[in-house]
Amino acid sequence: MAALRAACDAFVPAVEPPRAAPSFGGFWMRTPSDLGLERLAAGWIDTRMRPADREGLIQLLDLLAVTGFARLPERVRARMLKTAVRGTNDVARGFRGLCELTVGLFYGLPGPGGGNVNWDVLAYPGPPAIDPPADRPRLRPWTPPPGHGDLTLSADVVVVGSGSGGGVVAGVLAQGGLDVVVVESGGHHEEHNFPADELEAYHRMYWRGSWALTDDNTVKVGAGATLGGGSTINWTNWVQPPAWVRREWADHGLTDIDTAKFDEHLRAVSERCSATQDCSDPNGPNERLQDGADALGWSTVCTSRNTDPSTYDPATAGHIGFGDRSGSKQGTLNTYLADAAAHGARLLVNCRVDRITTTGGRAGGVAAEYDDNGTRRRVTVTAPTVVVAAGALETPAVLLRSGIGGPATGRYLRLHPVVVGAGFYGEDQRAWWGAPHSRIVDEFARRDDGYGFLIEGVQYGPGYMAGSLPWNSGRQHKVLMSGLSRAATLIGLVRDRGHGRVTLDDNGDSFVTYPLDDPHTIQRLAEALDATTRLHAAAGARGIVDLTPDKQRVWRRGQDLDRFLAGADAVPFRLPYRLIGSAHQMGSARMGTDPVTSVADPEGRLHDTPGVWIGDTSAFPTPTGANPMLTCMALAHRTAHAILARR
């Protein structure tokens, strides 16, 4: 515990405040151990980390204890950690994980009274307190009969996953008269029990419990792992698939995508999910995005959002990445899954599919394991039709464990990698107010034959922001956090030409790699960083910080912007030198006409296994270059109608 306490305090040390900086009630001298956070960190490591990550981190802490880390002078401890977090091996990954956990707890964890002693520094009011209407209908997952034995269910269709793809498929098929079972590995949350604590929300609702690194340490990915999937925790950016993407998909054999037939699917899901621009109030960062674009003459669009205006409140909208506690978000939880349940579908949560079963070479159902309040129960669902919609990080893993899908299974994973740019302004940006996305710069989307980039806003959360900012030293990180209320954080989202892969590790779990070595993608990332920086400067930022842990690089108004940008270009576009993130995963079980380069045919049926269909973003032939929720839902709507037509 002494080594853990010393490491936590080295990541967030007591420091002398910058000249003329406010005292913030003792903030500068406050450390994690002053708040007892080392005990919470130990509990988190023991109970909430994946076993492999936990074992590695415990070994690191044991090594620190053996070396007498806690007895070393503070400056020596800080120097050791600075060297450690800048590495590229698994040891460095462990130290970065400990750093993110420490700063996440320090800035993000509510205290016993519901607040956090550091939130005054951030001008953050805390998560919204909402009492949903008592008469609001609740979505009730199906509860298996009590007992400890195995479960056997039968249905016409079993849908693996409940997000933007699986939820739509389930709703359409159940309304079409089919007996549907939905199997979801995550738990069930809705507005009355979404976690108010952002760290708890990550643990309970995100893939691998947080924004997780790919297994080759290149990109941090965020994906939903809860009933409703990504549509429950995303930022409600409802973007039409670009015309050039639709033409490209038609070239892959999906010929109807570039016709009015697909417009009907887009229109149907947009109406069901209440997609309008009525709830697109811009917060400070989105206003700065618009200001900068206007000054530069760049094209922008006001985003549509799948939101119910009758319950929408901009004061709560900034929290929707942790579940929308107002109930206004119209993801699958409040739309298609509700439709499915109303038509008799059984929604089974906390149930992980091990494999798809086959009979005579065609779909027979799924074999799964259900977590019944800590008791593991085997579940067999027999069904002649299986729709795999577990997300592009898990759908190929299900197929690989089942020995089906063909040689393209897991290949062609696209991530829409993003680079982050932060500008600091003279006033509070109130980034926690209003939706993360309300404006988009689409000026550069057509670049490189449609493989360009967008500029957008991001979700605000003090713990999330603290973990995303680079750590070069404890003092530097504290200074950055002290100015967070005046910061506008924007991302450049790149339509990637390069791709990664999903395979299986020794335990049969998904193993995700994304080498980020495609020169076109790297060039677009560089251009996106350049554009976000110029946008901040044009919007009136007083300072711009290059978010790299390598060294502190700051542009201040009046300095040479081109010289600053030239220095930024010299930093490699990969971890640990620069944070690269991804909230969109696609293409790892893609559709097409060639069984060698695609997993499913143009309707979504597996080439090699009749009765098995792909129903999520993993089916995308190529990346959309835009937020994929609408495209995923429309494609799933199309797939569901193809299933109905064939039955």
Side-chain angles (χ1 to χ4, degrees):
M1 183 63 76
L4 178 58
R5 181 186 303 112
C8 290
D9 284 353
F11 284 127
V12 189
V15 300
E16 289 296 324
R19 186 178 304 172
S23 66
F24 291 132
F27 164 74
W28 298 104
M29 300 302 293
R30 189 177 301 130
T31 66
S33 63
D34 292 334
L35 306 177
L37 295 184
E38 74 278 9
R39 294 188 297 274
L40 293 174
W44 194 281
I45 293 168
D46 287 340
T47 62
R48 304 198 175 193
M49 281 190 169
R50 290 196 306 155
D53 293 338
R54 179 172 60 250
E55 291 172 7
L57 189 50
I58 290 174
Q59 290 176 5
L60 289 177
L61 292 172
D62 288 344
L63 177 62
L64 290 181
V66 169
T67 59
F69 179 80
R71 298 188 299 274
L72 295 175
E74 181 178 324
R75 66 180 184 281
V76 177
R77 296 200 304 265
R79 191 180 306 121
M80 289 177 62
L81 292 182
K82 179 178 179 178
T83 301
V85 299
R86 292 170 63 185
T88 58
N89 55 21
D90 287 340
V91 173
R93 175 177 177 149
F95 276 115
R96 286 196 296 271
L98 180 59
C99 178
E100 291 173 14
L101 174 60
T102 300
V103 298
L105 291 170
F106 187 76
Y107 292 102
L109 185 70
N116 180 302
V117 68
N118 298 307
W119 285 351
D120 286 345
V121 180
L122 312 179
Y124 177 57
I130 300 172
D131 293 318
D135 59 351
R136 184 179 179 89
R138 303 292 185 197
L139 180 63
R140 302 297 183 189
W142 180 74
T143 303
H148 301 287
D150 295 344
L151 300 170
T152 301
L153 308 173
S154 63
D156 295 323
V157 181
V158 56
V159 181
V160 182
S162 62
S164 299
V168 172
V169 170
V172 172
L173 295 184
Q175 291 180 91
L178 300 186
D179 182 14
V180 176
V181 170
V182 177
V183 182
E184 167 59 53
S185 64
H188 172 230
H189 307 278
E190 52 186 345
E191 62 266 19
H192 68 287
N193 67 357
F194 280 131
D197 171 4
E198 63 174 295
L199 300 180
E200 186 68 20
Y202 285 133
H203 173 65
R204 290 164 57 184
M205 301 172 68
Y206 278 65
W207 184 72
R208 295 187 176 172
S210 183
W211 284 78
L213 270 173
T214 56
D215 290 293
D216 56 347
N217 298 332
T218 57
V219 182
K220 290 184 75 172
V221 295
T226 182
L227 192 65
S231 76
T232 298
I233 53 90
N234 70 10
W235 303 342
T236 63
N237 206 355
W238 197 265
V239 182
Q240 294 284 335
W244 53 88
V245 173
R246 295 175 64 171
R247 289 193 296 269
E248 189 174 72
W249 288 12
D251 292 340
H252 279 257
L254 287 69
T255 54
D256 62 310
I257 296 294
D258 196 27
T259 70
K261 289 183 178 180
F262 194 60
D263 291 335
E264 296 173 5
H265 296 296
L266 291 165
R267 183 162 45 251
V269 296
S270 295
E271 291 175 355
R272 181 64 186 94
C273 296
S274 303
T276 72
Q277 295 179 349
D278 295 342
C279 304
S280 298
D281 303 280
N283 59 11
N286 280 277
E287 288 179 336
R288 302 294 80 73
L289 180 151
Q290 188 67 60
D291 292 343
D294 288 345
L296 294 166
W298 292 351
S299 171
T300 64
V301 292
C302 175
T303 61
S304 294
R305 301 181 56 237
N306 52 310
T307 304
D308 178 5
S310 68
T311 54
Y312 165 71
D313 181 351
T316 71
H319 202 262
I320 56 176
F322 314 121
D324 181 12
R325 301 178 73 203
S326 74
S328 65
K329 179 190 284 189
Q330 298 299 288
T332 59
L333 198 62
N334 287 332
T335 57
Y336 286 99
L337 288 174
D339 296 341
H343 286 80
R346 287 163 286 177
L347 314 180
L348 184 58
V349 300
N350 298 315
C351 189
R352 177 185 182 273
V353 170
D354 177 49
R355 60 187 175 86
I356 298 165
T357 60
T358 57
T359 302
R362 65 164 295 119
V366 301
E369 186 177 73
Y370 172 60
D371 185 350
D372 192 354
N373 294 317
T375 299
R376 302 288 181 177
R377 302 174 67 180
R378 296 300 303 172
V379 177
T380 300
V381 183
T382 60
T385 301
V386 177
V387 181
V388 192
L393 303 176
E394 291 296 338
T395 284
V398 173
L399 297 177
L400 289 167
R401 288 195 296 267
S402 307
I404 60 177
T409 302
R411 298 181 183 271
Y412 308 109
L413 173 70
R414 267 37 185 262
L415 294 183
H416 280 172
V418 304
V419 66
V420 185
F424 288 78
Y425 294 80
E427 62 282 331
D428 186 354
Q429 297 299 299
R430 301 177 78 233
W432 48 267
W433 183 96
H437 290 315
S438 62
R439 303 293 185 275
I440 300 175
V441 173
D442 62 351
E443 174 78 14
F444 309 100
R446 290 179 177 269
R447 183 169 288 183
D448 192 20
D449 296 327
Y451 281 82
F453 60 91
L454 303 176
I455 300 177
E456 302 178 330
V458 298
Q459 166 82 37
Y460 179 88
Y464 164 67
M465 289 292 184
S468 299
L469 288 174
W471 193 93
N472 185 50
S473 73
R475 176 182 174 79
Q476 173 190 324
H477 192 273
K478 258 191 174 179
V479 170
L480 286 174
M481 289 300 295
S482 71
L484 188 63
S485 65
R486 295 177 284 105
T489 304
L490 303 176
I491 58 172
L493 182 153
V494 171
R495 186 180 184 218
D496 40 342
R497 285 189 179 274
H499 54 82
R501 187 175 182 183
V502 179
T503 56
L504 298 178
D505 65 12
D506 293 339
N507 297 317
D509 295 325
S510 60
F511 188 86
V512 182
T513 55
Y514 188 87
L516 196 56
D517 56 3
D518 174 70
H520 295 280
T521 302
I522 293 172
Q523 179 61 31
R524 296 294 87 74
L525 285 167
E527 292 171 0
L529 180 62
D530 182 284
T532 57
T533 303
R534 293 186 185 280
L535 188 147
H536 278 306
R542 292 185 175 182
I544 301 170
V545 177
D546 186 12
L547 297 179
T548 168
D550 188 49
K551 59 182 178 180
Q552 180 72 71
R553 299 187 63 256
V554 179
W555 173 85
R556 294 179 175 83
R557 184 154 296 279
Q559 294 180 340
D560 188 327
L561 184 62
D562 289 331
R563 182 176 180 181
F564 174 75
L565 287 168
D569 287 343
V571 180
F573 283 90
R574 64 179 185 274
L575 285 170
Y577 308 104
R578 192 178 294 286
L579 171 63
I580 305 294
S582 165
H584 308 153
Q585 301 88 38
M586 304 149 285
S588 53
R590 67 181 184 172
M591 297 189 293
T593 57
D594 185 352
V596 175
T597 60
S598 63
V599 172
D601 71 14
E603 283 192 319
R605 297 170 300 171
L606 254 63
H607 291 298
D608 67 358
T609 311
V612 180
W613 299 68
I614 305 299
D616 59 14
T617 57
S618 61
F620 288 11
T622 61
T624 57
N627 301 69
M629 175 172 55
L630 168 57
T631 306
C632 179
M633 285 187 162
L635 203 64
H637 195 267
R638 170 184 180 269
T639 297
H641 280 277
I643 293 172
L644 288 173
R646 289 190 172 273
R647 291 183 64 91

